[in-house]
Amino acid sequence: MQDAVTAVINASDAQCQYLDGAALATLTSYFQTGEFRISAAKSINANAADIVKGAVARSFSAAEVTRPGGQLSTTRRYAACIRDLDYFLRYATYAMLAGDASILDERVLNGLKETYQSLGVPVDATVSAIQAMKSVTVDLLGDEAGQEMAIYFDYICAGLSD
């Protein structure tokens, strides 16, 4: 797992060179967005349960998967779905703070799609729920921070959809 700072430094170090103008510009941009990243993380932390609840309401209220006989019709499966959405929100927040989506590869996506498929978890419904969570989060955070978070939700969705 790396953050934006470590990634820039490691890239320069691998080339045995000092940070060039592009590297310094990347770091400057990252540091300039630090306050809004912290503010966004605080808002997400304070509202995490509501974000997940809103995502569930937007994505599963009329979905076939929650109806009797559906893949999320049992309490245990539904609870596992809620747990996973909370997990996705937490790691998307970590990635946003670090400015690095590779955290999601290591900690979330590595083998997740295959695990879901083997357990019969509906990947398309999961992607739909993550997209709903993105929408709820954007509504909560506003445009700038919301669009930054959207990058990481979209990254998770793409990883599950590949």
Side-chain angles (χ1 to χ4, degrees), residues 15-144:
Q15 297 173 8
C16 298
Q17 65 183 20
Y18 288 96
L19 298 175
D20 62 14
L24 291 171
T26 299
L27 290 175
T28 299
S29 175
Y30 176 72
F31 288 128
Q32 287 175 339
T33 62
E35 241 181 81
F36 102 86
R37 288 173 192 275
I38 296 294
S39 178
K42 285 179 181 177
S43 291
I44 291 167
N45 184 47
N47 295 286
D50 291 334
I51 292 170
V52 172
K53 183 179 176 183
V56 168
R58 289 186 187 189
S59 61
F60 294 145
S61 61
E64 290 293 321
V65 294
T66 58
R67 293 196 175 121
Q71 293 165 312
L72 297 178
S73 62
T74 66
T75 303
R76 183 180 61 80
R77 285 186 177 177
Y78 191 77
C81 176
I82 302 274
R83 176 207 61 216
D84 287 357
L85 288 175
D86 187 65
Y87 182 74
F88 298 146
L89 177 62
R90 183 165 47 95
Y91 273 98
T93 304
Y94 294 165
M96 180 269 305
L97 283 167
D100 185 10
S102 71
I103 293 168
L104 300 171
D105 291 324
E106 288 177 34
R107 305 287 173 96
V108 177
L109 294 172
N110 189 12
L112 182 64
K113 182 177 180 181
E114 295 77 12
T115 300
Y116 273 10
Q117 288 172 336
S118 71
L119 295 173
V121 175
V123 174
D124 57 336
T126 302
V127 169
S128 176
I130 294 167
Q131 290 293 338
M133 191 161 49
K134 175 179 84 171
S135 177
V136 171
T137 304
V138 169
D139 290 348
L140 172 73
L141 298 178
D143 282 341
E144 184 180 17

Side-chain angles (χ1 to χ4, degrees), residues 2-23:
Q2 293 191 88
D3 58 35
V5 175
T6 306
V8 168
I9 291 170
N10 285 344
S12 292
D13 186 45
Q15 297 173 8
C16 298
Q17 65 183 20
Y18 288 96
L19 298 175
D20 62 14

